[in-house]
Amino acid sequence: MTSEAITPISVTPAPPSPEAEVFAGDRVNLLDPRLGARAVSCSDDFFASMDRMLSSSAPVFAAGKYDENGKWMDGWESRRRRSGGNDHCIVRLGQPGRPERVDIDTSFFTGNYPPSASIEACLSESEIPGDDAQWVTILPAVELQGNSHNLFEIPPFDLAGDRAITHLRLSIYPDGGVARLRVYGEVAYDWSNAGEEITDLAALLQGGRPVAWNDSHYGPPHPLLAPGRGENMGDGWETRRRREPGNDWIIIELGHPGTIESALVDTAHFKGNFAESCSLQAAMVPDMSKAALIASSQFWPELMDRRKLSADAEHPFDRLKDIGQVNYVRFNIYPDGGISRLRLFGKPVK
C-alpha cells in the first residue's frame, strides 16, 4: 500500500489593526453577515468568491492551499481582465443604514490587489437592484495599497432626502482582490410602526449600538448585540484579565427610548473565562459628549442589581426595577471576562 505525499497548509491570520479599530469607533459594520448582509451579484469572482469579502472574521492566508482555479484567497478576487472595463460587486445590507466610513481591506493581496476603487449606493426593495435603480457615488475613485487597511471617510451625500441606503456597489479598477469590505455607520430602523409588543431595544438590527467601553482586548464589542447565539468564543465581548481593582463595563445606546422589563445575558462558549456576575444601570440622557456620558453613567439608577452568572449558559432576568423611560444602559461585568449576547427587552416609547 502506497501513501501519497500530503502538502502541509500553513494558515496565517491577518494581524490586528489598532488604527482600523479606532477608525471604526462606535459605529456598526453595516456589512456584517450576522446582521443579514450578503453579496448578491458581481461581474466576476473566478479566483475567490464574493461571499468571503463580507466575512465577520479576520482574513487569513493559507500557504499551500489551492483549488481548481488556482491559489485559494480569503476575499473576493476576479480574474485578470483582458478586454478592458472593470469589475464590481453588489452587496445588500441586512437593514437599511447610513454609511459614514469604509475600510477596503486588501490583507494578503500583494501583486493582485486593485490599484483603485469607488463605491456607489442605492435604495431598492429588490434583492438585486434593477436598471431603474438610482445609484449615487458615495466614495469617488480612491487609490488603494496592497496588504493594507484602506480607510476613508464617506463625504456627505443625499439619497431621496436621506443617507439611508440598502445596497452598495464596489467597483475595482481594473480587477484584482479585496480581502474584506467594512462599511461603518448607523442602522436606519423604522420605529414608526412599532406596536405595544415587547422587543429587544438594544438589538443591532433595530439601531442599538455600543457607544463606549473600558476594554475590548479581544475585539470590538458589537457582536454582544448581534442576532442569534454566538458561534464560538470569538463571537461576543471579552475583556482582558483584570489585574487591578474595579470591574469592566460597556454603555449601550438603545435603538429607541423605552421601558426595560427583562434582560437575557448569554455566556455561550465562555467556560473558563465568563464574567462572574453582572449588573445593569440605565437613564434617560440628553445629548452630551462621550466623556460626559461615561462620567455620568457611574451614577445612573440601578436597573438590575448584581446577579451571578455561570459558564456557557443563558441567564434570563425578569422583574427588573421600574425606573421609567431610558435611552442608555450601562452593563457592568465583575470583574472581567466574556459575554456572548445581551438582550434588553421592553416597550418603545411612542
Side-chain angles (χ1 to χ4, degrees), residues 83-346:
S83 57
N86 69 280
D87 288 316
H88 71 269
C89 180
I90 297 175
V91 296
R92 181 184 177 94
L93 281 61
Q95 281 282 350
R98 300 182 180 94
E100 300 174 16
R101 306 161 192 164
V102 61
D103 179 2
I104 304 175
D105 182 0
T106 56
S107 291
F108 302 117
F109 287 90
T110 54
N112 51 349
Y113 68 93
S116 62
S118 66
I119 298 178
E120 298 163 280
C122 77
L123 187 63
S124 173
E125 295 182 358
S126 302
E127 178 74 359
I128 302 175
D131 295 337
D132 59 343
Q134 297 182 3
W135 291 95
V136 173
T137 298
I138 65 171
L139 185 70
V142 290
E143 181 181 357
L144 302 181
Q145 301 297 320
N147 197 29
S148 303
H149 288 268
N150 296 274
L151 310 174
F152 304 100
E153 296 280 352
I154 294 176
F157 69 92
D158 192 304
L159 186 64
D162 195 3
R163 287 172 61 100
I165 57 99
T166 56
H167 293 75
L168 294 170
R169 180 163 61 195
L170 172 67
S171 296
I172 56 175
Y173 306 98
D175 54 40
V178 174
R180 297 290 186 268
L181 177 64
R182 314 282 197 215
V183 175
Y184 299 102
E186 296 182 349
V187 173
Y189 186 76
D190 183 5
W191 286 93
S192 61
N193 296 319
E196 295 295 326
E197 66 275 7
I198 298 293
T199 188
D200 181 5
L201 296 172
L204 285 180
L205 281 174
Q206 299 188 149
R209 64 188 178 102
V211 294
W213 49 90
N214 74 307
D215 185 82
S216 58
H217 182 81
Y218 292 100
H222 297 78
L224 182 71
L225 308 180
R229 299 197 73 191
E231 295 183 356
N232 51 51
M233 203 174 74
D235 188 8
W237 171 48
E238 183 182 3
T239 65
R240 64 177 175 82
R241 299 192 186 208
R242 176 172 281 271
R243 305 305 191 190
E244 64 278 349
N247 67 279
D248 294 324
W249 52 266
I250 183 169
I251 297 174
I252 295 158
E253 181 180 13
L254 302 181
H256 194 280
T259 55
I260 300 174
E261 300 181 10
S262 64
L264 186 141
V265 179
D266 189 356
T267 58
H269 307 293
F270 290 99
K271 300 175 182 179
N273 53 350
F274 63 96
E276 181 271 340
S277 56
C278 68
S279 69
L280 293 167
Q281 297 169 265
M284 194 72 179
V285 182
D287 288 340
M288 61 175 62
S289 69
K290 183 174 291 187
L293 182 72
I294 293 171
S296 68
S297 70
Q298 302 174 71
F299 309 102
W300 291 349
E302 189 176 71
L303 180 64
M304 184 182 80
D305 58 5
R306 187 168 172 175
R307 306 286 180 91
K308 184 80 172 175
L309 299 175
S310 57
D312 193 25
E314 291 184 307
H315 307 79
F317 298 114
D318 56 11
R319 294 188 295 274
L320 303 187
K321 297 179 182 180
D322 183 2
I323 61 174
Q325 300 174 5
V326 301
N327 59 351
Y328 284 90
V329 172
R330 175 176 165 130
F331 180 47
N332 302 298
I333 60 173
Y334 304 90
D336 55 33
I339 303 290
S340 177
R341 295 289 189 269
L342 172 66
R343 310 291 184 216
L344 299 171
F345 298 110

